[in-house]
Amino acid sequence: MRQRTYGNLPSELGGFVGRGGELAELGRLLGSSRLVTVTGVGGVGKSRLALAAAREQADGASADGAGDAQERYCDGVWLAELSGVRDPALLELTLAEALGLTDHTTRPPRTVLAEHLAGRRLLLVLDGFEQLVEETAELVRELLRRSPGLRVLAAGRRALALDGELAFPLAPLEPAEALELLAARASAADPGFAVNDANRAALGELCARLDGLPLALELAAGRLRALSAAQVLTRLEDRFALLTGGARGVLPRHRALRTAIGWSHELCTAEERLLWARLSVFGGQFDLDAAEYVCAGPDLPVESVLDLVGELLAQSLLVGEETPTGMRYRMLETVRIYGAGWLESLGDAGRLRRRHRDWYMGLATWCELDWFSPRQQEVAALVEAELPNLRLALECCLDEPEEVHLGRYLAGTLWFYWAGCGRLTEGRHWLERTLEGGRGLTEPEYEGSRLKALWVLGYVAALQGDAVASMSALYECRDGAERTGNAVAAAYSVHRLGCLALISDDMARAAELLRSALDRYRAAGELNSNVLMCQVELAMALAFQGDLPGALALSEEVRDICEERGERWTKAYALYVLAYAALDSGAVAEARRLLAECVTVNHTFRDLVGLVLAVELLALVNVTEGRPAEAAVLQGAAEPMWDGVGMQLFGSGYFNAPRLMCQERAGELLGAERYASCARHGRSLSVDELVERAVREPEPVPAPAPLPRPRTTPTPTPTSTPGPVPAAGHPGNRRPAGSPKGEPTG
């Protein structure tokens, strides 16, 4: 049996009530079909049933009693939430993100997905695809065709209409289960609530009037805290005729859902209704600060928003979730859509979307500044959580030609997220879209945002190994900066051109450009993670040319500044250069210590490039210490990580020299067959397993082998195409573990 990877399923909030028969049947269908779609009206509980079934599969429970779900899904059960995706171009990226994939190459995301899934056995849960049903169906068809070990469990209001798909129409709850759910949710809101002889009939009638729809029942349960069951039923009856009107032929359960939501709307105070409508502009989760800024106004005082949020939570119109970034809130999609319709009817939707955009532009600006601080990890987590809202803000900027410059500013300001958190493909998508429009706007404030978007695009394209696109953007940025006297943009363009020279093995040119960029940064008074990374890259160029004292001085200065400022992301790259120098001087134990810290920091930020570079150098440390088997394991583990980065070691002879030296020495000590076996085991490790292995204290060996010194001259490689810039951070894509053939030892 293969070693299991568990996936990304969230824990169940509030407990799953009933649906035992449906769960068993859904498990049986998953055992016989590679595509099962749970269908039904909004609010019937499709998402919760699909997630409950997925959790059973993840736990290894085989519903039909015959299959082995653990083996069938040994590569995990993964959820992709699609309800917030409106742009078809982001569909494949969203799936890749859900699977934990990071790819810095220019390969299409669909190709990356297909290649990742091709040899894996996993269950992919797709929820909320209705707005992109055709695009989703096409993607699922291709992935299933190319990935024989893939199974898909989808949840939506309609089936995908693909060959081999088994549709599972979900009916409302039976009366007994409906009452059970209503009682459970009412008890959660009011611990003193109980079903008794006095209220049982009214509660049963309420369940019947709401057609057993879980969402409608949960909304009604929120009212049982303040009203008796009979009062709730009476109020529902008073509004039933009004709220169930509409087009002929509408299914009763659709009317019941509209009744429940509309009834909840009617029971809200005027301020609660207004907040509900305004909160509908958010995508995904949001926090209280954002709600207060976006939604408050003369008719909704900011000091009242907290209490109103509490009331909407009590009525199940909002869901609160404790996250690493604090308490956050979200609306169920059906409730959000109802609120959005109300906002449109008020004629206030455009203004609220602009306020939403302004808040997230401010948030991005603050995060960019705070990236150069001890709060880097918090910033990364915050931007990750706010990505759906940032996407909406970018779309808002692109909706109006005169506001495209704001989109360029926002896309450029998020450079640290695109480059530092593995979102290169999406970053390039937004940067190119914002740069397409508004070319006729040449005012200074517009030109500044354009120049920033250009150097960020050049940075992102370089990280993807697209040297042509990178140089085009950077030269345009440099020329525009010189024309307009923008010294900061000029410094960034020269810096990134130096990066391209570095990974192209033109060390003299790289050093010249990077020194020039540092001079420009100092003249402009610029100091941040980019500036320090420029200094680290200059240190790399010097180290590769044999000037280790110069490289040490630069890297030690960066390390000291980073420690003073609490900056860790750039510090990890300085540690890499210091480890390189320590290994060359014979301080092998110091090199290991530096690289262990480097690996830890890179993994914390999910920085794939920094991580794989450190692992490659750590392999050389191991063979130097007399652990050739461990060195071969680490080299094997690095190979699949390079697939997500692009060309191995950037196609650079300088970066490749330690790897070739390690491979040669380990191969001599182990023999070809043993080396291949150890490398094969390394390729089976997940990133988490690799990191745990890399940072643990090694067992002592009887006698260390002689020290091989890293070469300072390039070793020719088969290609001359530049790959991604080395000194940039990217999150690692989590690779499920394969089936190890025993644990090699040194």
Side-chain angles (χ1 to χ4, degrees), residues 558-589:
V558 170
R559 180 193 59 192
D560 293 344
I561 295 173
C562 287
E563 289 176 350
E564 177 186 344
R565 298 297 187 103
E567 211 276 8
R568 300 174 66 202
W569 178 65
T570 309
K571 178 186 173 183
Y573 287 93
L575 296 179
Y576 170 82
V577 180
L578 292 173
Y580 183 95
L583 183 56
D584 183 83
S585 67
V588 186

PDB file of all heavy atoms in Angstrom, residues 558-589:
ATOM      1  N   VAL A 558      23.522  41.702   4.863  1.00  0.00           N
ATOM      2  CA  VAL A 558      22.093  41.431   4.657  1.00  0.00           C
ATOM      3  C   VAL A 558      21.523  40.677   5.853  1.00  0.00           C
ATOM      4  O   VAL A 558      20.435  41.005   6.358  1.00  0.00           O
ATOM      5  CB  VAL A 558      21.877  40.623   3.361  1.00  0.00           C
ATOM      6  CG1 VAL A 558      20.439  40.118   3.271  1.00  0.00           C
ATOM      7  CG2 VAL A 558      22.216  41.470   2.148  1.00  0.00           C
ATOM      8  N   ARG A 559      22.237  39.654   6.322  1.00  0.00           N
ATOM      9  CA  ARG A 559      21.756  38.893   7.480  1.00  0.00           C
ATOM     10  C   ARG A 559      21.553  39.803   8.684  1.00  0.00           C
ATOM     11  O   ARG A 559      20.523  39.709   9.379  1.00  0.00           O
ATOM     12  CB  ARG A 559      22.755  37.787   7.821  1.00  0.00           C
ATOM     13  CG  ARG A 559      22.345  36.916   9.017  1.00  0.00           C
ATOM     14  CD  ARG A 559      23.510  36.075   9.485  1.00  0.00           C
ATOM     15  NE  ARG A 559      24.647  36.929   9.869  1.00  0.00           N
ATOM     16  CZ  ARG A 559      25.874  36.464  10.088  1.00  0.00           C
ATOM     17  NH1 ARG A 559      26.136  35.177   9.947  1.00  0.00           N
ATOM     18  NH2 ARG A 559      26.845  37.305  10.429  1.00  0.00           N
ATOM     19  N   ASP A 560      22.502  40.700   8.937  1.00  0.00           N
ATOM     20  CA  ASP A 560      22.396  41.592  10.095  1.00  0.00           C
ATOM     21  C   ASP A 560      21.205  42.536   9.961  1.00  0.00           C
ATOM     22  O   ASP A 560      20.462  42.773  10.931  1.00  0.00           O
ATOM     23  CB  ASP A 560      23.691  42.390  10.257  1.00  0.00           C
ATOM     24  CG  ASP A 560      24.883  41.504  10.639  1.00  0.00           C
ATOM     25  OD1 ASP A 560      24.644  40.352  11.058  1.00  0.00           O
ATOM     26  OD2 ASP A 560      26.031  41.956  10.482  1.00  0.00           O
ATOM     27  N   ILE A 561      21.009  43.098   8.766  1.00  0.00           N
ATOM     28  CA  ILE A 561      19.868  44.004   8.563  1.00  0.00           C
ATOM     29  C   ILE A 561      18.562  43.240   8.724  1.00  0.00           C
ATOM     30  O   ILE A 561      17.606  43.733   9.340  1.00  0.00           O
ATOM     31  CB  ILE A 561      19.947  44.669   7.173  1.00  0.00           C
ATOM     32  CG1 ILE A 561      21.173  45.583   7.092  1.00  0.00           C
ATOM     33  CG2 ILE A 561      18.675  45.467   6.888  1.00  0.00           C
ATOM     34  CD1 ILE A 561      21.414  46.155   5.702  1.00  0.00           C
ATOM     35  N   CYS A 562      18.503  42.038   8.178  1.00  0.00           N
ATOM     36  CA  CYS A 562      17.283  41.230   8.287  1.00  0.00           C
ATOM     37  C   CYS A 562      16.963  40.905   9.745  1.00  0.00           C
ATOM     38  O   CYS A 562      15.803  40.965  10.168  1.00  0.00           O
ATOM     39  CB  CYS A 562      17.436  39.937   7.484  1.00  0.00           C
ATOM     40  SG  CYS A 562      17.371  40.155   5.699  1.00  0.00           S
ATOM     41  N   GLU A 563      17.996  40.564  10.517  1.00  0.00           N
ATOM     42  CA  GLU A 563      17.764  40.256  11.928  1.00  0.00           C
ATOM     43  C   GLU A 563      17.311  41.500  12.684  1.00  0.00           C
ATOM     44  O   GLU A 563      16.445  41.429  13.565  1.00  0.00           O
ATOM     45  CB  GLU A 563      19.031  39.669  12.546  1.00  0.00           C
ATOM     46  CG  GLU A 563      19.330  38.257  12.041  1.00  0.00           C
ATOM     47  CD  GLU A 563      20.636  37.701  12.574  1.00  0.00           C
ATOM     48  OE1 GLU A 563      21.409  38.476  13.182  1.00  0.00           O
ATOM     49  OE2 GLU A 563      20.895  36.492  12.369  1.00  0.00           O
ATOM     50  N   GLU A 564      17.857  42.647  12.314  1.00  0.00           N
ATOM     51  CA  GLU A 564      17.447  43.900  12.955  1.00  0.00           C
ATOM     52  C   GLU A 564      15.999  44.240  12.630  1.00  0.00           C
ATOM     53  O   GLU A 564      15.245  44.692  13.500  1.00  0.00           O
ATOM     54  CB  GLU A 564      18.376  45.029  12.497  1.00  0.00           C
ATOM     55  CG  GLU A 564      18.004  46.402  13.046  1.00  0.00           C
ATOM     56  CD  GLU A 564      18.862  47.499  12.449  1.00  0.00           C
ATOM     57  OE1 GLU A 564      19.917  47.185  11.870  1.00  0.00           O
ATOM     58  OE2 GLU A 564      18.459  48.674  12.557  1.00  0.00           O
ATOM     59  N   ARG A 565      15.599  44.007  11.375  1.00  0.00           N
ATOM     60  CA  ARG A 565      14.242  44.356  10.934  1.00  0.00           C
ATOM     61  C   ARG A 565      13.240  43.216  11.136  1.00  0.00           C
ATOM     62  O   ARG A 565      12.046  43.420  10.919  1.00  0.00           O
ATOM     63  CB  ARG A 565      14.262  44.735   9.450  1.00  0.00           C
ATOM     64  CG  ARG A 565      15.109  45.949   9.111  1.00  0.00           C
ATOM     65  CD  ARG A 565      14.591  47.210   9.784  1.00  0.00           C
ATOM     66  NE  ARG A 565      15.286  48.400   9.343  1.00  0.00           N
ATOM     67  CZ  ARG A 565      14.789  49.280   8.467  1.00  0.00           C
ATOM     68  NH1 ARG A 565      13.595  49.092   7.945  1.00  0.00           N
ATOM     69  NH2 ARG A 565      15.489  50.339   8.127  1.00  0.00           N
ATOM     70  N   GLY A 566      13.714  42.032  11.493  1.00  0.00           N
ATOM     71  CA  GLY A 566      12.808  40.892  11.632  1.00  0.00           C
ATOM     72  C   GLY A 566      12.421  40.271  10.311  1.00  0.00           C
ATOM     73  O   GLY A 566      11.451  39.508  10.240  1.00  0.00           O
ATOM     74  N   GLU A 567      13.176  40.562   9.251  1.00  0.00           N
ATOM     75  CA  GLU A 567      12.893  40.031   7.916  1.00  0.00           C
ATOM     76  C   GLU A 567      13.504  38.640   7.789  1.00  0.00           C
ATOM     77  O   GLU A 567      14.682  38.441   8.097  1.00  0.00           O
ATOM     78  CB  GLU A 567      13.498  40.973   6.865  1.00  0.00           C
ATOM     79  CG  GLU A 567      12.750  41.024   5.555  1.00  0.00           C
ATOM     80  CD  GLU A 567      13.135  39.913   4.581  1.00  0.00           C
ATOM     81  OE1 GLU A 567      13.882  39.001   4.956  1.00  0.00           O
ATOM     82  OE2 GLU A 567      12.688  39.985   3.433  1.00  0.00           O
ATOM     83  N   ARG A 568      12.716  37.649   7.357  1.00  0.00           N
ATOM     84  CA  ARG A 568      13.205  36.268   7.288  1.00  0.00           C
ATOM     85  C   ARG A 568      13.321  35.756   5.861  1.00  0.00           C
ATOM     86  O   ARG A 568      14.141  34.896   5.568  1.00  0.00           O
ATOM     87  CB  ARG A 568      12.274  35.349   8.087  1.00  0.00           C
ATOM     88  CG  ARG A 568      12.154  35.712   9.552  1.00  0.00           C
ATOM     89  CD  ARG A 568      11.119  34.846  10.229  1.00  0.00           C
ATOM     90  NE  ARG A 568      11.525  33.445  10.276  1.00  0.00           N
ATOM     91  CZ  ARG A 568      10.681  32.432  10.410  1.00  0.00           C
ATOM     92  NH1 ARG A 568       9.384  32.659  10.484  1.00  0.00           N
ATOM     93  NH2 ARG A 568      11.125  31.193  10.443  1.00  0.00           N
ATOM     94  N   TRP A 569      12.455  36.228   4.973  1.00  0.00           N
ATOM     95  CA  TRP A 569      12.395  35.686   3.605  1.00  0.00           C
ATOM     96  C   TRP A 569      13.720  35.919   2.870  1.00  0.00           C
ATOM     97  O   TRP A 569      14.313  34.990   2.332  1.00  0.00           O
ATOM     98  CB  TRP A 569      11.226  36.341   2.868  1.00  0.00           C
ATOM     99  CG  TRP A 569      11.050  35.935   1.446  1.00  0.00           C
ATOM    100  CD1 TRP A 569      10.730  34.693   0.982  1.00  0.00           C
ATOM    101  CD2 TRP A 569      11.145  36.782   0.309  1.00  0.00           C
ATOM    102  NE1 TRP A 569      10.623  34.716  -0.386  1.00  0.00           N
ATOM    103  CE2 TRP A 569      10.877  35.984  -0.822  1.00  0.00           C
ATOM    104  CE3 TRP A 569      11.425  38.134   0.125  1.00  0.00           C
ATOM    105  CZ2 TRP A 569      10.876  36.499  -2.121  1.00  0.00           C
ATOM    106  CZ3 TRP A 569      11.422  38.652  -1.162  1.00  0.00           C
ATOM    107  CH2 TRP A 569      11.155  37.839  -2.261  1.00  0.00           C
ATOM    108  N   THR A 570      14.200  37.163   2.854  1.00  0.00           N
ATOM    109  CA  THR A 570      15.469  37.452   2.197  1.00  0.00           C
ATOM    110  C   THR A 570      16.641  36.872   2.981  1.00  0.00           C
ATOM    111  O   THR A 570      17.631  36.418   2.390  1.00  0.00           O
ATOM    112  CB  THR A 570      15.661  38.973   2.048  1.00  0.00           C
ATOM    113  OG1 THR A 570      14.502  39.539   1.439  1.00  0.00           O
ATOM    114  CG2 THR A 570      16.877  39.289   1.201  1.00  0.00           C
ATOM    115  N   LYS A 571      16.526  36.855   4.302  1.00  0.00           N
ATOM    116  CA  LYS A 571      17.600  36.315   5.134  1.00  0.00           C
ATOM    117  C   LYS A 571      17.934  34.879   4.723  1.00  0.00           C
ATOM    118  O   LYS A 571      19.111  34.486   4.741  1.00  0.00           O
ATOM    119  CB  LYS A 571      17.194  36.360   6.602  1.00  0.00           C
ATOM    120  CG  LYS A 571      18.238  35.774   7.535  1.00  0.00           C
ATOM    121  CD  LYS A 571      17.727  35.703   8.968  1.00  0.00           C
ATOM    122  CE  LYS A 571      18.710  34.970   9.870  1.00  0.00           C
ATOM    123  NZ  LYS A 571      18.204  34.829  11.255  1.00  0.00           N
ATOM    124  N   ALA A 572      16.924  34.098   4.356  1.00  0.00           N
ATOM    125  CA  ALA A 572      17.173  32.706   3.992  1.00  0.00           C
ATOM    126  C   ALA A 572      18.130  32.610   2.808  1.00  0.00           C
ATOM    127  O   ALA A 572      18.972  31.704   2.752  1.00  0.00           O
ATOM    128  CB  ALA A 572      15.857  32.001   3.666  1.00  0.00           C
ATOM    129  N   TYR A 573      18.042  33.544   1.860  1.00  0.00           N
ATOM    130  CA  TYR A 573      18.943  33.525   0.710  1.00  0.00           C
ATOM    131  C   TYR A 573      20.354  33.957   1.096  1.00  0.00           C
ATOM    132  O   TYR A 573      21.343  33.453   0.557  1.00  0.00           O
ATOM    133  CB  TYR A 573      18.384  34.407  -0.406  1.00  0.00           C
ATOM    134  CG  TYR A 573      17.197  33.765  -1.064  1.00  0.00           C
ATOM    135  CD1 TYR A 573      15.912  34.053  -0.632  1.00  0.00           C
ATOM    136  CD2 TYR A 573      17.360  32.841  -2.079  1.00  0.00           C
ATOM    137  CE1 TYR A 573      14.822  33.445  -1.207  1.00  0.00           C
ATOM    138  CE2 TYR A 573      16.269  32.228  -2.674  1.00  0.00           C
ATOM    139  CZ  TYR A 573      15.002  32.529  -2.234  1.00  0.00           C
ATOM    140  OH  TYR A 573      13.920  31.909  -2.795  1.00  0.00           O
ATOM    141  N   ALA A 574      20.449  34.895   2.049  1.00  0.00           N
ATOM    142  CA  ALA A 574      21.768  35.257   2.562  1.00  0.00           C
ATOM    143  C   ALA A 574      22.407  34.059   3.259  1.00  0.00           C
ATOM    144  O   ALA A 574      23.618  33.815   3.127  1.00  0.00           O
ATOM    145  CB  ALA A 574      21.648  36.441   3.525  1.00  0.00           C
ATOM    146  N   LEU A 575      21.616  33.289   3.989  1.00  0.00           N
ATOM    147  CA  LEU A 575      22.128  32.089   4.652  1.00  0.00           C
ATOM    148  C   LEU A 575      22.624  31.073   3.630  1.00  0.00           C
ATOM    149  O   LEU A 575      23.611  30.361   3.884  1.00  0.00           O
ATOM    150  CB  LEU A 575      21.037  31.468   5.528  1.00  0.00           C
ATOM    151  CG  LEU A 575      20.538  32.306   6.704  1.00  0.00           C
ATOM    152  CD1 LEU A 575      19.453  31.553   7.461  1.00  0.00           C
ATOM    153  CD2 LEU A 575      21.681  32.690   7.632  1.00  0.00           C
ATOM    154  N   TYR A 576      21.948  30.994   2.495  1.00  0.00           N
ATOM    155  CA  TYR A 576      22.386  30.073   1.444  1.00  0.00           C
ATOM    156  C   TYR A 576      23.797  30.434   0.967  1.00  0.00           C
ATOM    157  O   TYR A 576      24.665  29.561   0.826  1.00  0.00           O
ATOM    158  CB  TYR A 576      21.397  30.122   0.279  1.00  0.00           C
ATOM    159  CG  TYR A 576      21.867  29.396  -0.966  1.00  0.00           C
ATOM    160  CD1 TYR A 576      21.732  28.023  -1.079  1.00  0.00           C
ATOM    161  CD2 TYR A 576      22.451  30.102  -2.019  1.00  0.00           C
ATOM    162  CE1 TYR A 576      22.171  27.347  -2.219  1.00  0.00           C
ATOM    163  CE2 TYR A 576      22.895  29.441  -3.155  1.00  0.00           C
ATOM    164  CZ  TYR A 576      22.745  28.061  -3.253  1.00  0.00           C
ATOM    165  OH  TYR A 576      23.189  27.408  -4.377  1.00  0.00           O
ATOM    166  N   VAL A 577      24.047  31.717   0.719  1.00  0.00           N
ATOM    167  CA  VAL A 577      25.374  32.138   0.276  1.00  0.00           C
ATOM    168  C   VAL A 577      26.403  31.903   1.377  1.00  0.00           C
ATOM    169  O   VAL A 577      27.529  31.446   1.116  1.00  0.00           O
ATOM    170  CB  VAL A 577      25.363  33.617  -0.150  1.00  0.00           C
ATOM    171  CG1 VAL A 577      26.750  34.051  -0.612  1.00  0.00           C
ATOM    172  CG2 VAL A 577      24.349  33.845  -1.269  1.00  0.00           C
ATOM    173  N   LEU A 578      26.040  32.190   2.624  1.00  0.00           N
ATOM    174  CA  LEU A 578      26.960  31.959   3.733  1.00  0.00           C
ATOM    175  C   LEU A 578      27.287  30.474   3.881  1.00  0.00           C
ATOM    176  O   LEU A 578      28.425  30.103   4.194  1.00  0.00           O
ATOM    177  CB  LEU A 578      26.357  32.503   5.033  1.00  0.00           C
ATOM    178  CG  LEU A 578      26.232  34.030   5.121  1.00  0.00           C
ATOM    179  CD1 LEU A 578      25.457  34.431   6.369  1.00  0.00           C
ATOM    180  CD2 LEU A 578      27.600  34.693   5.097  1.00  0.00           C
ATOM    181  N   ALA A 579      26.291  29.620   3.657  1.00  0.00           N
ATOM    182  CA  ALA A 579      26.534  28.172   3.722  1.00  0.00           C
ATOM    183  C   ALA A 579      27.456  27.727   2.599  1.00  0.00           C
ATOM    184  O   ALA A 579      28.329  26.867   2.787  1.00  0.00           O
ATOM    185  CB  ALA A 579      25.209  27.418   3.666  1.00  0.00           C
ATOM    186  N   TYR A 580      27.270  28.292   1.419  1.00  0.00           N
ATOM    187  CA  TYR A 580      28.136  27.983   0.277  1.00  0.00           C
ATOM    188  C   TYR A 580      29.587  28.317   0.619  1.00  0.00           C
ATOM    189  O   TYR A 580      30.512  27.517   0.385  1.00  0.00           O
ATOM    190  CB  TYR A 580      27.660  28.784  -0.930  1.00  0.00           C
ATOM    191  CG  TYR A 580      28.404  28.543  -2.224  1.00  0.00           C
ATOM    192  CD1 TYR A 580      27.929  27.638  -3.160  1.00  0.00           C
ATOM    193  CD2 TYR A 580      29.580  29.241  -2.508  1.00  0.00           C
ATOM    194  CE1 TYR A 580      28.604  27.425  -4.358  1.00  0.00           C
ATOM    195  CE2 TYR A 580      30.265  29.033  -3.702  1.00  0.00           C
ATOM    196  CZ  TYR A 580      29.771  28.130  -4.624  1.00  0.00           C
ATOM    197  OH  TYR A 580      30.437  27.919  -5.803  1.00  0.00           O
ATOM    198  N   ALA A 581      29.789  29.485   1.217  1.00  0.00           N
ATOM    199  CA  ALA A 581      31.144  29.909   1.585  1.00  0.00           C
ATOM    200  C   ALA A 581      31.702  29.051   2.707  1.00  0.00           C
ATOM    201  O   ALA A 581      32.892  28.707   2.717  1.00  0.00           O
ATOM    202  CB  ALA A 581      31.131  31.382   1.988  1.00  0.00           C
ATOM    203  N   ALA A 582      30.854  28.688   3.695  1.00  0.00           N
ATOM    204  CA  ALA A 582      31.313  27.852   4.806  1.00  0.00           C
ATOM    205  C   ALA A 582      31.760  26.481   4.305  1.00  0.00           C
ATOM    206  O   ALA A 582      32.788  25.946   4.744  1.00  0.00           O
ATOM    207  CB  ALA A 582      30.205  27.702   5.842  1.00  0.00           C
ATOM    208  N   LEU A 583      31.002  25.911   3.395  1.00  0.00           N
ATOM    209  CA  LEU A 583      31.363  24.605   2.852  1.00  0.00           C
ATOM    210  C   LEU A 583      32.679  24.677   2.096  1.00  0.00           C
ATOM    211  O   LEU A 583      33.532  23.784   2.199  1.00  0.00           O
ATOM    212  CB  LEU A 583      30.237  24.106   1.936  1.00  0.00           C
ATOM    213  CG  LEU A 583      30.406  22.710   1.326  1.00  0.00           C
ATOM    214  CD1 LEU A 583      30.605  21.655   2.398  1.00  0.00           C
ATOM    215  CD2 LEU A 583      29.196  22.372   0.455  1.00  0.00           C
ATOM    216  N   ASP A 584      32.876  25.755   1.359  1.00  0.00           N
ATOM    217  CA  ASP A 584      34.116  25.913   0.601  1.00  0.00           C
ATOM    218  C   ASP A 584      35.324  26.034   1.528  1.00  0.00           C
ATOM    219  O   ASP A 584      36.418  25.562   1.203  1.00  0.00           O
ATOM    220  CB  ASP A 584      34.015  27.153  -0.285  1.00  0.00           C
ATOM    221  CG  ASP A 584      35.256  27.322  -1.156  1.00  0.00           C
ATOM    222  OD1 ASP A 584      35.318  26.683  -2.209  1.00  0.00           O
ATOM    223  OD2 ASP A 584      36.161  28.090  -0.756  1.00  0.00           O
ATOM    224  N   SER A 585      35.126  26.642   2.702  1.00  0.00           N
ATOM    225  CA  SER A 585      36.240  26.845   3.634  1.00  0.00           C
ATOM    226  C   SER A 585      36.465  25.661   4.554  1.00  0.00           C
ATOM    227  O   SER A 585      37.372  25.692   5.388  1.00  0.00           O
ATOM    228  CB  SER A 585      35.994  28.104   4.470  1.00  0.00           C
ATOM    229  OG  SER A 585      34.877  27.905   5.320  1.00  0.00           O
ATOM    230  N   GLY A 586      35.622  24.618   4.439  1.00  0.00           N
ATOM    231  CA  GLY A 586      35.788  23.435   5.269  1.00  0.00           C
ATOM    232  C   GLY A 586      34.957  23.433   6.531  1.00  0.00           C
ATOM    233  O   GLY A 586      35.015  22.474   7.302  1.00  0.00           O
ATOM    234  N   ALA A 587      34.153  24.467   6.791  1.00  0.00           N
ATOM    235  CA  ALA A 587      33.293  24.520   7.983  1.00  0.00           C
ATOM    236  C   ALA A 587      31.982  23.800   7.674  1.00  0.00           C
ATOM    237  O   ALA A 587      30.924  24.418   7.531  1.00  0.00           O
ATOM    238  CB  ALA A 587      33.047  25.967   8.393  1.00  0.00           C
ATOM    239  N   VAL A 588      32.069  22.467   7.589  1.00  0.00           N
ATOM    240  CA  VAL A 588      30.927  21.671   7.128  1.00  0.00           C
ATOM    241  C   VAL A 588      29.773  21.733   8.127  1.00  0.00           C
ATOM    242  O   VAL A 588      28.604  21.852   7.743  1.00  0.00           O
ATOM    243  CB  VAL A 588      31.358  20.214   6.875  1.00  0.00           C
ATOM    244  CG1 VAL A 588      30.215  19.423   6.259  1.00  0.00           C
ATOM    245  CG2 VAL A 588      32.577  20.166   5.966  1.00  0.00           C
ATOM    246  N   ALA A 589      30.085  21.629   9.425  1.00  0.00           N
ATOM    247  CA  ALA A 589      29.022  21.678  10.432  1.00  0.00           C
ATOM    248  C   ALA A 589      28.297  23.021  10.396  1.00  0.00           C
ATOM    249  O   ALA A 589      27.073  23.088  10.554  1.00  0.00           O
ATOM    250  CB  ALA A 589      29.608  21.426  11.818  1.00  0.00           C
TER     251      ALA A 589
END
